[in-house]
Amino acid sequence: MARSSFPCRHKAGSDTYAHDFGEGAKVLRPYHLSWRSDFGLSSLIEPDVMVMLAELILAHGQLVPGGEVCGIASVGLRAAQQTPGDVLPPFSVAYVKGWRRSVTCLVVADAIRTLNIDDSVLLPQYKDSMRSVYATVGHYSHVQDQVLAARGISITSTLRRPPNCFNLLRQHEVLSRANVAAEATAASKLHVDVWESAAEVARVFRIGKSEAGAILNLTTKVHQDMVIKLRDAVRTRGMKAFLNHECIARDLFNLTFTTGTAGLEPWASQLMNREDNEIAPTMRKAWTFKDASSLHAACGAFLHFVRLLQSQVPQADFRQREANLRQQFALGVFDPDLLHAIESSVPPSSLDSVSFLRSLAAEISQRHARDVEEKNRELAERVAAATMDQIRAKLEADFEELKKHVPSAEKEAVETALDMKYLQERQMFVLGEPTSMHTTLREFAQHRSDMTLGEGTLYTIATLDATIFPSNALLMKGALETMSCLLNIGVQNIAHIQLPIPQSNTTLQAMTKHRRTIEDYLLSQSCGSQAVGLHLTRPNDAHASDKRGCLQSCVAVYVDSKTFPWSLPILIGPLELIRVSDMLGYDEVNRPGVTARAEQKGIPVHIAVIEAYLKGLDLKEEDKVIVFDVLPNRHAEFARAIVKRKLSGKVPDVSYFGVIKDTQKDVVSSIEEDVYNAWDSSSAAPAKTRVRDAAATPTLDTLSWVNGSPKFPDALIAKFPEGSPQYKEIVKFKEQLIGMFPETATSSSTAVTVRATGLPDFSGENVLDLEREVSLETFSADEFNQEELASCPGRAGKPSIMLTKDYKLFLGNITEEEMVLASGELFGFNVGAFEIKLIADMDLVAYKKKAMPVCMALCKIARERGLGEIGIWADPAGGAAGESTPVPYRYDVGIADQGKTNCFKPNPLANMEASNHKPASFGAVYLGQMGRVIKNKNASLLWEDSWTS
C-alpha cells in the first residue's frame, strides 16, 4: 500500500509530517505504518479486539490529536534508511505501542479500497483522521523502561482488555533482539532464561502470579512448537475464549508434565507431554485447570492408543483414517471412552479397551484379511492353472505312451495265470512242509523216530497248562497219561505242570480238589517232582480292577533222579502279564471274562518258562529239544512262544508238538500265518513278484509302472482342492487310466507291492455298484411314530439305529447337519456258532470292512498278500472240447452237502430290548427272527471274512 492509496491531502497550516524519528510528537501518513508483527511488542490481535477497533476507527477516526490515551503512542525502535529532504519512507514505523491500532487502520483502509466503497458514505471523522496519524517518539534510558511504559498505557486503556502473557512474551522477544551492548546489563535482567521463579517475573514486570508463572513456563519449560500453537490459538480466538493463565502457570503444557497421578498413576508415562503433542483446534470456553487436566489425560490417552493402532494395522489404512480420528477427537467424541480406558486398565493396555478403536481395528483387520485372502486366492488360481498346464502336458504324453502297452484280454489272462502259478509255487515252498501240530502221542512218536540224531540226544519238555482245570475229566486224565508215557521214555524227558490258580469262577474247595487230582496221579506213577514258582506281576498301566498279579504254583516232574541231566528252576520271574486289551480274542464286543483273563498270561511269560528249563541243560551241537504240549490252553501260548522264539533266531533251536483240539483250528491258522508272514518278508524268500520282460516297460514321466501295470499317484489328486476344476480334470485322467488298465482301480499307491496282475472278469455279470448315491426316505422327529424294540445310539460319523416291533430298520440323525455316509458296516451280530455255504463267487462278503464279491476278495488276497493256492481255472460255456481258457479270478463254487444251508445263531444279549446296544452286537436282537433281517439293494447281511495263510 503506497502513497497513492491515501489520496487525502494534508491541510494547510497543519502539523508538518515527520522527516525523522527525533524525540517528541510526530505527524505521519497512514502509509508510514507497518504490517509486520516484528515491529510491535504485542504480535497478537484478538478477533473481538480488531472488530472493536475497526468500528471505533470508522465511527470516530483513527486518532485523537495530541496522543491521548486513545491515540497511538508510537515509539520508533528501528526505521528504514531515510532519503535526505524527503518524508519518512512507507512502512518504516517500528512499534512499542499501537501496533494493533495501526494494523487495524491498514485493514480498514484496504477493505475500503478492495470493496470499492464510495468516499461519500464514509464519516468525516474517519476521512479527517486518515490525513494525519499522530505519534509520539520517546527515548528511554533502558529497554525495560520502554516495555513498562507500553504495558502501563495498555493496562490503563479503556478501549481494550489488559495485556496477557503472550503480549509479554512478544515484548520479551523484541527486547531480546534489542539487547545491544550499551543495554546488556539492563536487558539481561529481563531475560526469563535466568529467572528462577514466577515471583521474580511478577516483580520485574509488575504482573500477577498466574501471568508470571505462565510467561516463565512458556519461555523455559514449554516446547517451542507448543508455544507457537498456543499463541496461534490465542490470536484466533482471544485469551478470554480459550484458557486462563492458571492452565499455563500450573505446568499443563510443560514437557514431561503428566496427568497420570492418583488413580491414573500407572498411565503416567502414556499421559506425559512429549514433543509431538498437539492442542485441540476449537474450544467453546476458557479452560480452567480442572477442565484442562482432564482433557490433558484424554489427549495423552489418545496419542498412546493411536500409536498402538498405527503399530497394529497396515500403514495405508492408518493414514487413510488418521485425519478423521484426530478431527473427531478434537470435537471431544472419544473423551469418555479414552478416560474410561485408562481408569480401568493398566499400561500399555490394548485397543480392546477403547470401543471406537476396537471396532476400527477389527474392521481393518477383517478387510485386510479379506484382501489378503482374495489376493492369495487369485494367486493360487493362477498357480493352479499353470501347474495344471504342466501336469496335463505330461499326462497326455504318458497316455500316448501307454496306448502302446494296453494288453489284449488273452495276453492279460496269460500273464495273470503265470503270476498265479508263480505265487502258488512260492507259497508251497514254505507251507508244503508237514505241519508241526499233532493230535496223538502216536503221531509224535512216529515223527520222533524219524528225526536224525546221530550221536545226539533228544530232550523233551512236556507242558501241561492246568491253570484253568478242564471240565472234562477224561481230557485231563488223557493228558496226564500222555505225559507219564513221555517221562517213562527216558531221563532226558521232563514235564512242566502249571497248577490251577484262584479266580472268582471257581471255589477254593474246587481248586484244592483239582490240584489234589494232579498230585495224586503223580504219586500213583511214582514220579519225582519239584515245586516251581511262577512270579507274575500286573502291567504298570493296568486298570485298578485288574487283580491278576500272583505267585502261580507249578510242578517240574521227572523220573530216575540219579542220572537226571536237568537243572530245574525254583522261581521263574518276576514276569509281567499281558495287558487285557492286548489279549488274543479281545475286540469291541468280546471282552475276556474272568476265566480267560486268568488263563492267558502272554507269549513272553511262556518264552521265559522254556528259557528257565533250558538254562541248566548242557546241550551238544547234535542234541535237539522238543516241547510237547499235552494240554495247551485255549490260545496255545506255548506253541506261539516256540514259534516266536524260532522266528527270532534264538538258540538252542526248539521244536514244538501239541495236542490241538478241533475247536482250536484258528490257533493253527494263526500260527501258520505268522510263519508265512515272517518268511514272506525274509531274505530267504524268493522275489514277491514274477520277473517280467524289462523291454515291455514303458517310459513314463508322471505315472509310474509297477509290476506290469501303470499306477496313478495319489499325490497328484491331493495337489488340488476337492471340487476345483483342476481336481475334476485330474479325476477324469484317473478314470481314463482305469478304463485302459482296470486293475489300477484296486490300488493306486506304489507303497503296496502288487504280487499279480489282472482283475476278475465281470463280463455278463450284474455287479451292484457299491459307490452309487442312495437317498433314503426321511421323516422329521415330530412325524416319526414307531414302537421301538431296540436301538443303538449314534456316535461320531455314525447314525443312530432303531429296530421297531415289526422288525423295520430306521437310521437316525440327531445332529443339525446333513449326514452323508459311505458304504460300510452298520452293525454286527455278536458272536455265536455259524456255518456258511457259498452259492457263487459273486456272493458279497466283507473284506477289510468293505463289501465286495468273493472273487474280488480272493483277487485282493493274491495281489496284496501273495497267496495263490486258490483255483483260477473255469470251463466257460462254449469252450472247445478238451481245451481250457484261463478266466482271471473267477471260481466255480459247489456246495459240498446239499442238505446244509447257511446258518448262524448269535449268542443272546443280556437285555434284548435295551436302548443302548453296541453297534458290534446290535444284530443279535434278531435272535429267533433271523429270516426278517433286512436284505435289499440298500442293505443286506454280509459274512465278514478273515483270510489267513
Side-chain angles (χ1 to χ4, degrees), residues 325-370:
L325 281 174
R326 293 185 181 277
Q327 182 180 3
Q328 293 185 67
F329 167 71
L331 296 174
V333 176
F334 303 146
D335 290 2
D337 270 353
L338 292 168
L339 294 175
H340 174 73
I342 61 178
E343 290 171 356
S344 59
S345 63
V346 295
S349 192
S350 67
L351 296 179
D352 292 338
S353 302
V354 187
S355 60
F356 71 92
L357 291 179
R358 178 174 62 248
S359 59
L360 178 60
E363 175 193 346
I364 294 175
S365 177
Q366 292 173 3
R367 187 183 60 77
H368 181 66
R370 288 195 298 269

Side-chain angles (χ1 to χ4, degrees), residues 474-487:
L474 294 177
L475 179 63
M476 175 57 74
K477 181 181 179 182
L480 290 172
E481 289 176 348
T482 301
M483 180 197 69
S484 178
C485 292
L486 180 66
L487 293 177

Side-chain angles (χ1 to χ4, degrees), residues 128-166:
D128 291 343
S129 68
M130 293 302 289
R131 292 189 180 93
S132 300
V133 177
Y134 297 96
T136 302
V137 177
H139 287 179
Y140 300 93
S141 59
H142 299 291
V143 178
Q144 178 181 358
D145 296 336
Q146 300 173 9
V147 174
L148 295 179
R151 289 184 60 80
I153 297 173
S154 297
I155 290 173
T156 58
S157 173
T158 58
L159 298 180
R160 46 161 287 183
R161 66 178 62 90
N164 54 51
C165 61
F166 292 98

